[in-house]
Amino acid sequence: MTKPLLQGIDLSCIRDDRVLFVDLSFELGAGQVLLLEGKNGSGKTSLLRILCGFREPDEGLIRWCGAGINDNQYHADMAYIGHLDGIKKELTVLENLSVALALGQPGSYAIADALGRVQLAGYDDVPVQALSAGQKRRLSLARLLVTQNRLWILDEPFTSLDKQGIKLTETLMTEHCQRCGLVVLTSHHDLNLPGVDVQRIHLS
């Protein structure tokens, strides 16, 4: 059995006096994916924000490699992509990836290779504000490739992507898991990740 690296223990979240979830627990190990499902407003994004350390759970604990997420290198091991792409629109494609690399550890891809992988080769000097919504999403995926983060936390990663972009994202997630990475994501899309152990939590 895969040794758990990421653990949620008896998590509860209350927002605007409404209980989103209570006594929620899970374990995720190397090579595994946790898919959060549920209708809008069910608490999926709130749970992701708790996992990222952006807010505290009302009850419960998050552990990474057996320690609290504020007690170790958790944030260096974690990469988050939310509804917003997390890129600087006033910078070029290359400048955005250079900033990401300067703030993190080098990943599996050089910048040029990452741009080729997400089909943005030749866009190095293009300002991000000139990109389409789908291209901006691809650039956010390139950020994951150029930096070393074992845990990917992705909020609706298929937004604005066409069928080709969705397939590419699924392939990148599969390859990340094959390298013993972990992925936590929300999605209304039916995942196709061959050979990957996908755990599911449905929030109502």
Side-chain angles (χ1 to χ4, degrees), residues 36-196:
L36 306 180
E37 301 174 307
K39 62 185 180 181
N40 291 339
S42 62
K44 302 187 301 296
T45 296
S46 293
L47 179 53
L48 291 191
R49 291 180 62 81
I50 289 171
L51 292 179
C52 290
F54 298 155
R55 64 163 292 175
E56 295 287 333
D58 291 282
E59 298 288 346
L61 298 170
I62 302 292
R63 292 192 178 277
W64 175 249
C65 297
I69 61 174
N70 294 320
D71 298 332
N72 58 21
Q73 292 297 310
Y74 175 73
H75 294 287
D77 291 335
M78 182 268 292
Y80 169 69
I81 295 179
H83 287 291
L84 301 178
D85 297 307
I87 49 182
K88 303 285 187 181
K89 295 182 180 180
E90 65 274 15
L91 300 181
T92 66
V93 167
L94 177 60
E95 288 169 342
N96 266 278
L97 294 184
S98 297
V99 169
L101 188 54
L103 295 174
Q105 297 296 320
S108 302
Y109 288 77
I111 289 178
D113 296 331
L115 288 176
R117 193 73 175 84
V118 300
Q119 300 169 356
L120 286 178
Y123 284 80
D124 307 51
D125 296 326
V126 176
V128 167
Q129 59 190 1
L131 300 179
S132 68
Q135 289 171 327
K136 291 174 184 174
R137 206 64 177 170
R138 289 173 184 266
L139 178 55
S140 68
L141 293 174
R143 286 175 45 231
L144 297 176
L145 301 181
V146 300
T147 56
Q148 179 63 47
N149 304 103
R150 192 167 189 185
L151 172 62
W152 292 358
I153 299 181
L154 312 175
D155 196 357
E156 296 291 346
F158 305 110
T159 300
S160 301
L161 292 176
D162 56 16
K163 290 183 179 179
Q164 188 179 33
I166 290 172
K167 183 177 180 181
L168 170 63
T169 304
E170 291 176 329
T171 298
L172 294 178
M173 287 194 292
T174 299
E175 292 174 352
H176 182 63
C177 290
Q178 290 171 345
R179 296 192 295 267
C180 295
L182 298 77
V183 180
V184 179
L185 76 155
T186 66
S187 179
H188 298 287
H189 173 71
D190 189 16
L191 291 180
N192 181 22
L193 306 176
V196 176

Side-chain angles (χ1 to χ4, degrees), residues 1-9 25-29 32 34 199 201:
M1 185 174 180
T2 302
K3 180 180 179 180
L5 297 175
L6 179 66
Q7 296 171 287
I9 304 170
S25 296
F26 63 86
E27 293 183 344
L28 201 65
Q32 293 184 315
L34 177 62
Q199 311 291 324
I201 292 177

